[in-house]
Structure formats: structure tokens, C-alpha cells
Amino acid sequence: MRKKTLALLVLNLLVFFIIGGYLREERRSRDKEKMDRELFAEAFADAHEIVISRGKTAPEKILLSRKENKWLLEAPLAWPANFFAARGILNGLQHIEATPLFLTEELLGEDGTLKDYGLDSPKLEIEVTSRKGTVQLRFGERTPDKLKIYALEPKNNKIYVVDNGLAEDLSQPLSSLMRLEFFDLQVNEIRSLSVRFNQGGTTSTTTISRVQPEGDSWKIVTPIETTANGHLVKGLINQLLSGQVTRFVMDPKQMDSISEKLTLPSVSLTLEGPLRSQTLVAGELIEQGEDKGLRYARLEGSPTVFATSDTLFQELRDAQRNLREKRFMRFARQEIDSIEISKGSRKISLHLLEQGEWRVFARMEDEEIAQFPADSKVIEDLLTTLAETEAENFVWDAPSESDLAKAGLLPADLTITLGSASGDDQILMLGESLGESEGMVYAKSRNEPFVYAISDALLEKISLKQLHYRKRLL
């Protein structure tokens, strides 16, 4: 009986030691895995430099660095990194699932070789530098099930299996790692834009600036000074900021050749903010080859050359006219207190009295001045029409006296004066019909030198008959 009890006791102790050993080994294995995960997590958490080496026959080294929370491509080309591509690599690094297999010494001790796992001459390597130091990973062949890939961490000579996703992110084409948008500014920080075209030695420049640094009003500064359409200017700036690279020029010889030609660009576009500005220079339209229909361009201060769509530059070619404000009668309606319409010796006046009522003043047949209550709706319609009158065409920006006389504006055939208490009167001058354009008349604001062509539909709203403006009473 004692022998049986002793045997059971020994057996229990043996089982206890076996289970304890197994649990210790399992805990040790878990601790090792945890240490491996923490090794990569700590090293990749605050990465500020990533070097990717790939290829055997044509080795390629890519350098990414973080500056002011932005990732930049430093080599083989200098260019801002694609935000999504960089984020994908960082996420893959920070959440890497690396399962340790064995040390290289253990592999060699079992008559295995690094070649068995494609790690003797890896096609892909990554080196990540952070505050914790530098960590390397060398990628070999895929696992038999093709779901993971073998990787060697050379510092500790340990082999792991990791997910394919990270290796795929690191293997994407260089152009995929580069941001496609070439401008790096925000629409609200743009204070001015300037475009210069150079064709056959003839240079033309258009500059558009904000009226107030934080405002939405814009003006054309050169080649003439006039009001710009703020909505159209903002739309153009959004288009410019959305402009993208069609193809990066990777061949060094081709890049050097194009860069030399861009020292005398066909087009130069500058976007200026309060603290920084960016200038894009572009060459002539490409007429043959793989980039036919595009233009080669680069940013000043950057050696990287790329091809981009010509559509962007077509929008800029006649920016002075396309972005010009077509509504040239600019007034605050609530400040208007008089309207005077005259044609030759004929005249009719409309006045807003203190009681808020409009009155019509007209000279009667007996030469006496008579006044009548005016229809406020008719006057509001007239003011609305004047405010919404748009130039159909910009005829002359600096007309001569003979031009004004030809257009029937010296003297004006018809004059409309909008008076205000501030004394800032707006005077519209209407002239002859345009001979070649039916339904158009010459028009000019006396406050500006420009002559416009407008629709003659405005004339239907203007009358020199006092009955047209009088209030109808039943």
C-alpha cells in the first residue's frame, strides 16, 4: 500500500513538473513574442526616416523623411510624398504582425540556409530610424501558402514571418509614393496670382490680387487695373491647386535636357501667400511622343520635372478677360436717393423723399416742372436691371476720343445718373448700336475708362416718359 501511494506521489510530482515546464516554456515563448512586437512597435512608432532598398539587377534606393509632420521623398527624386501611400507604409510598420521562427544560428545548425527562405540576397529591404534607433528588415520569399513572407531582422539575426501587405506597400512604383498635386497651398492663404506667357519673345503678364488680405474681393492689377469676379477667381485658384502630375520624368538625361529648356519657360505661374509662395514654370506644348498634348513643368526650387495637362494653362491664357467682373455698375441700392435719365434736351428725374416715397419730376409742355408719386416697384426693377447689367464684350480698355465719338459716347446718346447722399454718383453712358452685333449697344461708366458692349434689352427698362414711372391709382 505504501509503495502504491509513493508511486502515485512520484507520478503526480512528475506530471506537475512536466506541466510546469510546459507552462514556463509557453510563458517564455509569449514573452519573446511580446518582446518582438514591442521591439518593432517602439522602433516604428516615432519613425522620422525610412530607407527602402529594392531590386537586384537595377537596384533602387528610396529615402523618405518626415519634416514638420509631413513626409517628403528625398531620393531618388525630391518631392512631397503621397499622403496615403506614406500613411499606408507607416500603418503597416506600426501594426506589423511579426511571428518569430528561429535565429539564423538555429537555422544553420539544422543544415538550413538563408537561401531556403530567399534571405541570402533579399530583393527588398527597409531601414527605419526613430528616436529609439534604427531597425532593419530584409524580406525574402513568400511562405508556402503565399499568405505571408519571410523577413530577417539582422541586428538580432532572427527570422520572422510577416504579412504580405507591408512588402506590397514597399514594392509599389516610385511614382505612387509621390504626391500628384504640385501646389502645396490652401485657397484661403492665396493673396495673389500672377501668370506670364512668353511666346516668340513677346511677354504678357496678368496679376490678380485680393483687395483685402482676408476678404473675398479681387482686382486685376496688370495689364489693366479693374475689378475681378471673386467667384471666378476662387474657382480658378481651386483648379490650380487641384492640378496634378500626369507623369514624372524619371530618366536623368531627359530630366536634365528638359530642365535646361525650362530656364526660359513658355509659361510662369506664381501663387503667393502671406508667408510663402510657389512658382510653376512650364514649356511649350508637346507635339509628339508619349507626352503629346501635355507640357513639361517643374516648381521653382525643385529639380523634379513632370508632364501635366495643357488644360490648366488654357484657363490662364486669357485670364484678364475671363476673370474680369462683367457687372460694371456697382452701387449699394439702399444708398441711392435719385435717378436722372437724360437724352439730348430731354430729361426725367426720380427722387426718394424723406418719407421713403419716390417722386417723378418732369418738365411739362408749358415748361413747368411737375411732380407725381412714383411706382416704387418700377424703380426697384430699374435698379435691379442696372445692377445686373453685364458686359457681353470688352471693346476698348483705353479708348481714344475718336473711339468714344464713334461709339456715340462723346457725347453720350443716353445718360443715367444714380445719386446718393454720400456724393458717390454712378453714371452710365449708353451709345450707338454695334453695327456688326445685333442687339448690342456701346456702354461706359463715366468713372472708368473702359467701353463695353451690352445687350440693348436694358433700353426697354429705360423711358423718358413720366407716365412710365408714375404710380397707377384706381
Side-chain angles (χ1 to χ4, degrees), residues 204-441:
S204 61
T205 303
T206 300
T207 302
I208 304 171
S209 301
R210 286 186 192 267
V211 176
Q212 298 292 334
E214 305 298 331
D216 292 327
S217 298
W218 292 78
K219 64 180 179 180
I220 298 173
V221 180
T222 56
I224 60 172
E225 189 166 340
T226 186
T227 304
N229 185 303
H231 178 73
L232 294 179
V233 172
K234 190 172 182 179
L236 174 63
I237 291 176
N238 277 319
Q239 279 186 276
L240 297 175
L241 296 179
S242 300
Q244 293 190 343
V245 173
T246 303
R247 183 182 75 87
F248 288 100
V249 177
M250 302 293 187
D251 181 74
K253 290 184 178 180
Q254 185 185 16
M255 188 185 301
D256 291 342
S257 174
I258 296 171
S259 295
E260 186 176 351
K261 295 177 182 178
L262 290 178
T263 56
L264 294 174
S266 173
V267 190
S268 175
L269 169 64
T270 299
L271 298 180
E272 187 171 351
L275 301 176
R276 58 187 181 134
S277 63
Q278 289 184 312
T279 298
L280 177 75
V281 295
E284 296 284 352
L285 185 68
I286 304 168
E287 297 182 351
Q288 58 184 1
E290 63 175 317
D291 298 318
K292 182 179 180 180
L294 305 176
R295 287 178 186 260
Y296 291 125
R298 67 174 179 82
L299 289 173
E300 281 193 354
S302 170
T304 302
V305 176
F306 52 87
T308 188
S309 172
D310 182 53
T311 304
L312 185 71
F313 304 98
Q314 293 299 330
E315 294 289 334
L316 295 167
R317 185 167 296 280
D318 202 13
Q320 174 219 328
R321 288 184 173 270
N322 294 337
L323 301 178
R324 194 166 171 176
E325 179 56 74
K326 294 183 177 181
R327 293 185 178 182
F328 53 91
M329 290 294 289
R330 292 177 286 275
F331 56 88
R333 188 177 307 186
Q334 67 274 12
E335 295 182 4
I336 301 301
D337 57 13
S338 69
I339 304 172
E340 185 177 279
I341 305 169
S342 61
K343 183 174 184 178
S345 60
R346 301 172 63 190
K347 182 189 297 184
I348 193 165
S349 297
L350 305 165
H351 290 270
L352 181 64
L353 303 183
E354 293 181 357
Q355 296 82 1
E357 295 181 356
W358 282 91
R359 304 283 290 184
V360 185
F361 292 80
R363 188 178 297 277
M364 307 305 290
E365 293 181 357
D366 57 3
E367 297 298 318
E368 290 186 6
I369 302 295
Q371 59 172 297
F372 309 93
D375 188 332
S376 59
K377 185 178 185 308
V378 173
I379 294 175
E380 283 297 315
D381 288 346
L382 174 60
L383 290 173
T384 298
T385 301
L386 291 172
E388 295 178 352
T389 296
E390 293 188 350
E392 300 290 337
N393 190 17
F394 302 102
V395 184
W396 295 301
D397 290 328
S400 64
E401 288 189 1
S402 61
D403 292 331
L404 294 175
K406 175 185 175 182
L409 295 169
L410 190 65
D413 187 48
L414 180 68
T415 301
I416 305 168
T417 302
L418 304 181
S420 64
S422 65
D424 185 19
D425 295 352
Q426 295 288 317
I427 302 174
L428 173 64
M429 303 160 61
L430 300 179
E432 300 287 346
S433 297
L434 275 71
E436 70 276 8
S437 301
E438 293 184 4
M440 306 271 281
V441 296

Side-chain angles (χ1 to χ4, degrees), residues 36 39 103-105 152-160:
D36 288 323
L39 167 70
L103 298 171
T104 54
E105 291 85 350
L152 170 66
E153 196 280 295
K155 187 174 182 180
N156 294 318
N157 284 324
K158 188 176 291 187
I159 297 175
Y160 299 83

Side-chain angles (χ1 to χ4, degrees), residues 110-147:
E110 296 179 1
D111 296 330
T113 65
L114 293 176
K115 187 176 182 180
D116 298 336
Y117 299 90
L119 295 170
D120 59 325
S121 181
K123 299 178 182 178
L124 177 65
E125 299 181 31
I126 184 173
E127 182 179 286
V128 181
T129 303
S130 68
R131 288 184 300 178
K132 296 288 185 179
T134 300
V135 173
Q136 285 185 318
L137 276 180
R138 299 172 183 173
F139 296 89
E141 299 291 344
R142 295 179 184 269
T143 56
D145 59 9
K146 305 298 182 183
L147 298 178

